[in-house]
Amino acid sequence: VGWGSCDSAASPARELGYALARLPQLTLRYRGRIPTSDRSEVLRRAQKHDYGLPDQEAWHASVLEYLAEEEEWLEDNLSRFASAAIHHDLHASNVIMRDGGLAAVLDFDELIRAPVVLDVLCTLHSFARRTANCTVRPDLAAALFKAYDEVRRIPPHERKALSRLFDLTNISETASFLAYGASRLQSVRDCHSYSVYLSNRGSNLAQFLLNNC
């Protein structure tokens, strides 16, 4: 189901919000090794990587600009957010819906230890990736965050940082895709994650949630 473009997507978005808020508690007993990801290092590598794409210099410039503006803030603040094991890839293709409710969550291949609020932003990124202009649909964002907030109240310092964390999510998802999928593209602009980053860069997500959630 293409929830990003479906008119009746608010209900599944709510179900995802509830699931995302509960998942860190469900993984507390997991004793296997859970990897972490240094997003700044991922972006530093991406900024130098040769993808063999004609417009890669524009992508390199985007990463360089982002790091110049945000790397110090990330180093000072990212560790202050509550962290746990997060799914990191929860979207329409990774759940089973039954009778209007969420029956199962699939595909934990990208499970990592990270700030828990990034999980809901990864899902928001997947919603935007499925829209025609790669922007966030307000109704889906409101449904997702309202449900999430009912289960895990987003603390003020996280809420204030949501816009910056969404930019981090979008540019990191671009770097992750290009690392293994660049050979399938004709240009970096063909990467939907990059379009999401460019279309939503600097959006005031925190103010939107204050007004709508």
Side-chain angles (χ1 to χ4, degrees):
V1 179
W3 294 353
S5 57
C6 176
D7 290 339
S8 59
S11 178
R14 282 194 298 273
E15 293 297 319
L16 280 183
Y18 292 135
L20 286 163
R22 294 185 179 113
L23 275 172
Q25 294 297 318
L26 297 176
T27 57
L28 283 177
R29 296 182 181 179
Y30 179 72
R31 292 293 178 262
R33 180 181 176 274
I34 301 174
T36 59
S37 175
D38 183 339
R39 286 167 174 75
S40 293
E41 179 59 28
V42 168
L43 292 174
R44 283 192 293 269
R45 290 198 301 267
Q47 194 269 323
K48 300 175 182 178
H49 190 77
D50 181 3
Y51 300 96
L53 296 174
D55 58 344
Q56 67 181 14
E57 288 186 6
W59 159 243
H60 289 158
S62 291
V63 176
L64 188 63
E65 178 187 34
Y66 176 84
L67 288 172
E69 294 177 3
E70 299 293 342
E71 187 169 19
E72 184 176 348
W73 182 88
L74 292 173
E75 291 177 355
D76 291 343
N77 292 277
L78 207 57
S79 62
R80 299 179 184 179
F81 302 125
S83 293
I86 66 172
H87 187 281
H88 197 229
D89 192 31
L90 194 58
H91 52 73
S93 299
N94 283 340
V95 297
I96 296 174
M97 301 291 294
R98 185 174 296 135
D99 298 327
L102 184 65
V105 174
L106 311 175
D107 189 6
F108 282 81
D109 288 351
E110 294 189 26
L111 186 76
I112 62 169
R113 186 172 299 281
V116 295
V117 73
L118 291 182
D119 224 3
V120 71
L121 294 172
C122 286
T123 296
L124 196 65
H125 171 90
S126 77
F127 284 169
R129 214 172 56 223
R130 288 166 169 77
T131 62
N133 56 3
C134 289
T135 56
V136 174
R137 268 182 52 175
D139 59 330
L140 295 189
L144 183 72
F145 275 95
K146 281 180 180 177
Y148 185 93
D149 218 31
E150 285 179 26
V151 178
R152 179 189 177 263
R153 184 70 178 170
I154 303 173
H157 71 288
E158 287 185 10
R159 191 175 291 265
K160 183 179 179 181
L162 284 174
S163 298
R164 298 179 102 151
L165 294 174
F166 192 44
D167 286 342
L168 172 64
T169 298
N170 295 334
I171 197 168
S172 297
E173 290 299 300
T174 305
S176 296
F177 178 82
L178 290 175
Y180 71 85
S183 62
R184 290 185 266 163
L185 304 176
Q186 297 298 313
S187 72
V188 178
R189 283 279 187 169
D190 292 336
C191 175
H192 291 169
S193 290
Y194 188 40
S195 296
V196 172
Y197 173 70
L198 295 175
S199 297
N200 296 278
R201 177 82 164 107
S203 61
N204 198 340
L205 187 58
Q207 187 61 46
F208 168 82
L209 294 176
L210 186 65
N211 294 338
N212 295 276
C213 302

